[in-house]
Amino acid sequence: MSGADNVVWLGTPAFPEAARAALADTRLRANLRRATATIRDKRLAVAAELDDWEELRERAAGVKRRTLRHLDHHLLRLEKAVTAEGGTVHWAADAAEANRIVTYLVKATGESEVVKVKSMATQEIGLNEALAEAGIRAYETDLAELIVQLGGDRPSHILVPAIHRGRSEIREIFLREMGEWGRPAPEGLGDDPRDLAEAARLHLREKFLRCKVAVSGANFAAADSGTVVVVESEGNGRMCLTLPDTLITVMGLEKVLPSFADLDVFLQLLPRSSTGERMNPYTSLWTGVTEGDGPTDFHLVLLDNGRTAALADEVGRQALSCIRCSACLNVCPVYERTGGHAYGSVYPGPIGAVLTPQLVGVENAASLPFASTLCGACYDACPVKINIPEVLVHLRAKAVEAKRRGRLLPTAEALAMKAAGWVMSSPKRLAAAQRLAALGARLVAHDGRIGALPGPLARWTGTRDTPAPPRESLRAWWRRTKAMNETQGRTTAEEEGRR
């Protein structure tokens, strides 16, 4: 499989079609509205507690910009530091190579099962599926990821992968599927969150104590010390990172930071932006291997999978600054109404709309840059100040260009834009067009509004309540009133002269 095959869910419809189906799901919309509003309000409250919040955002954005400019240098420093502390570093150009490396490492231990810490990178490369093909079973231990795995589902949110599921749905999944993966759900399980969490705890406990190999992602890695960081809220990550004999971490190239001191900024921004907490309940840091403490074998897989291609784009590369907090999803009016599955990618929401096309090629995800109102809420919320609207517009231009290439004839849109340019380049032609538009609008307008029009304009007018053009354009009004004022002025002057 290629990197594109894994980042984008093959066989899923383009965003407009998928979003239309999601909009019809009233339960999904209610779940999303309730969850995103709760997280959004918590984030605003804890961010407001810091007088230097904007300064922290500026510092974090600066660190990310400088790191991306010298990414090769910092990655080599990281490799040297990890190796010096007893770890082993592997480089993976794409998803297929990363999966081969991890599969080989697991097989080398003689084990046939692994426990996993929640990881976007391993979802991106389709690691669970690759391990299954090799006869290795991967157990997700994050509560939301467990729900998704047991339900044969796909994640729909970066931070809360099962945000589209309600409590009653989760209860049914646990009762139906837990027994197939290990310890069954307790009899008479209700849908109280505490009961569901306890069922998950009992189900996972035996796996934590039994499995000898763990796989994780990484939130950050410090190049100067070789320290890798995972932040989480449940403690499952801490169990995976400390109990097994072998730990394999798959990390995107962009997660590296120049120094351990840089964590000071990001460990303040990330919890507040993601879960609305002042600090994460569990922040795990490890440097290589330490005798008698944690895994005895540590492997760090550095994943490219389209990242260097994104790095070459001077506008688009800022998407690589993302720290996966999901703040942009929680403020996005499009995401709140469609959910994550509509994006057809591991990375949903505004950040997915700019990251996915760059990882897989814009021609393979051409609809995603258009999955936005360009309202700018995502930019305001982003803790590292990624200008997502700017990147969206940039990628829209690329998508249009990619669509144009290979066509023998121009599209209807291209012809319409060319005609509009010809009309607007001449004041006389523009005035004539405005008069015709006003006349035509009066024929189809009702109560001063234009409804849905037939033909190629239906997709636009069918979802918008467009006001009819005024009977008189600004230019015509200006000429008329100017002429009236001049006439009135001459008359007044003549009368004053006679007096």
Side-chain angles (χ1 to χ4, degrees), residues 45-232:
V46 295
E49 294 175 353
L50 296 181
D51 294 335
D52 62 344
W53 179 253
E54 290 303 317
E55 181 184 342
L56 285 171
R57 292 180 69 209
E58 286 288 352
R59 287 173 59 192
V63 170
K64 282 292 189 178
R65 282 194 302 268
R66 292 190 295 273
T67 304
L68 291 175
R69 282 200 296 268
H70 306 285
L71 188 58
D72 56 343
H73 170 68
H74 296 302
L75 288 170
L76 292 174
R77 291 175 61 222
L78 176 64
E79 179 185 34
K80 183 178 179 180
V82 170
T83 304
E85 295 295 337
T88 305
V89 176
H90 310 263
W91 298 79
D94 55 24
E97 186 173 8
N99 288 331
R100 283 197 300 269
I101 292 170
V102 177
T103 301
Y104 169 80
L105 293 173
V106 176
K107 283 189 169 183
T109 68
E111 298 293 322
S112 60
E113 57 183 8
V114 301
V115 285
K116 287 186 70 225
V117 187
K118 180 180 180 299
S119 164
M120 297 296 294
T122 59
Q123 291 172 6
E124 175 186 327
I125 63 176
L127 179 62
N128 288 7
E129 293 78 6
L131 290 175
E133 289 178 5
I136 301 167
R137 201 168 200 186
Y139 299 111
E140 296 290 352
T141 64
D142 174 83
L143 176 56
E145 290 288 0
L146 174 65
I147 295 166
V148 169
Q149 184 178 51
L150 292 180
D153 203 351
R154 288 169 171 165
S156 63
H157 191 277
I158 290 176
L159 181 69
V160 195
I163 196 172
H164 56 289
R165 294 291 192 184
R167 290 185 296 175
S168 60
E169 294 176 279
I170 296 169
R171 171 185 175 275
E172 292 302 319
I173 290 171
F174 280 8
L175 289 171
R176 185 178 67 247
E177 301 293 339
M178 269 188 172
E180 297 296 321
W181 288 78
R183 178 169 178 161
E187 292 185 10
L189 177 66
D191 63 1
D192 183 87
R194 288 171 295 185
D195 294 337
L196 296 172
E198 178 65 10
R201 188 188 72 81
L202 294 172
H203 176 78
L204 292 170
R205 178 67 54 170
E206 61 178 6
K207 295 179 173 58
F208 289 137
L209 297 175
R210 185 182 70 237
C211 291
K212 303 297 183 183
V213 182
V215 176
S216 82
N219 292 97
F220 310 103
D224 60 346
S225 64
T227 303
V228 183
V229 184
V230 165
V231 297
E232 38 119 7

Side-chain angles (χ1 to χ4, degrees), residues 70 119 134 151-152 167 201 204 214 238 260 289 329 385 390 483:
H70 306 285
S119 164
R167 290 185 296 175
R201 188 188 72 81
L204 292 170
R238 181 68 56 82
F260 188 88
V289 295
L329 280 69
K385 304 194 75 170
E390 177 187 38

Side-chain angles (χ1 to χ4, degrees), residues 165-465:
R165 294 291 192 184
R167 290 185 296 175
S168 60
E169 294 176 279
I170 296 169
R171 171 185 175 275
E172 292 302 319
I173 290 171
F174 280 8
L175 289 171
R176 185 178 67 247
E177 301 293 339
M178 269 188 172
E180 297 296 321
W181 288 78
R183 178 169 178 161
E187 292 185 10
L189 177 66
D191 63 1
D192 183 87
R194 288 171 295 185
D195 294 337
L196 296 172
E198 178 65 10
R201 188 188 72 81
L202 294 172
H203 176 78
L204 292 170
R205 178 67 54 170
E206 61 178 6
K207 295 179 173 58
F208 289 137
L209 297 175
R210 185 182 70 237
C211 291
K212 303 297 183 183
V213 182
V215 176
S216 82
N219 292 97
F220 310 103
D224 60 346
S225 64
T227 303
V228 183
V229 184
V230 165
V231 297
E232 38 119 7
S233 298
E234 300 171 11
N236 63 295
R238 181 68 56 82
M239 302 285 276
C240 293
L241 297 169
T242 55
L243 293 178
D245 297 328
T246 300
L247 172 60
I248 304 167
T249 297
V250 181
M251 186 188 92
L253 301 179
E254 78 280 13
K255 296 299 185 69
V256 66
L257 298 175
S259 72
F260 188 88
D262 293 322
L263 292 172
D264 170 55
V265 176
F266 292 96
L267 292 181
Q268 293 184 74
L269 287 171
L270 180 55
R272 286 177 166 84
S273 297
S274 57
T275 58
E277 297 170 296
R278 296 178 182 88
M279 65 180 295
N280 288 94
Y282 296 90
T283 301
S284 300
L285 302 89
W286 68 96
T287 306
V289 295
T290 302
E291 186 176 354
D293 184 12
T296 57
D297 198 11
F298 170 56
H299 297 269
L300 178 62
V301 181
L302 295 175
L303 176 68
D304 185 339
N305 206 36
R307 286 160 174 78
T308 53
L311 189 65
D313 188 326
E314 293 185 1
V315 176
R317 71 170 59 148
Q318 57 186 300
L320 296 176
S321 296
C322 176
I323 60 174
R324 308 293 192 267
C325 69
S326 74
C328 61
L329 280 69
N330 298 326
V331 299
C332 178
V334 176
Y335 175 85
E336 184 179 308
R337 286 157 179 80
T338 65
H341 291 159
Y343 293 81
S345 169
V346 169
Y347 300 105
I351 189 61
V354 295
L355 183 61
T356 300
Q358 295 190 82
L359 294 181
V360 305
V362 71
E363 66 279 3
N364 295 314
S367 68
L368 290 186
F370 298 90
S372 170
T373 64
L374 298 180
C375 67
C378 50
Y379 183 28
D380 293 336
C382 179
V384 291
K385 304 194 75 170
I386 301 172
N387 193 339
I388 294 178
E390 177 187 38
V391 183
L392 284 168
V393 172
H394 172 69
L395 293 177
R396 287 181 181 188
K398 282 193 166 189
V400 171
E401 178 62 23
K403 189 176 181 180
R404 185 190 65 81
R405 288 195 300 267
R407 281 182 174 270
L408 297 177
L409 297 174
T411 63
E413 182 183 17
L415 290 173
M417 292 298 104
K418 189 171 183 179
W422 178 77
V423 169
M424 293 181 182
S425 64
S426 165
K428 290 183 178 180
R429 290 195 290 264
L430 177 60
Q434 288 174 329
R435 288 194 295 270
L436 288 174
L439 177 61
R442 286 199 293 274
L443 298 177
V444 298
H446 178 69
D447 293 333
R449 319 297 290 183
I450 299 176
L453 296 176
L457 296 176
R459 289 182 62 186
W460 177 271
T461 59
T463 57
R464 292 167 174 83
D465 191 15

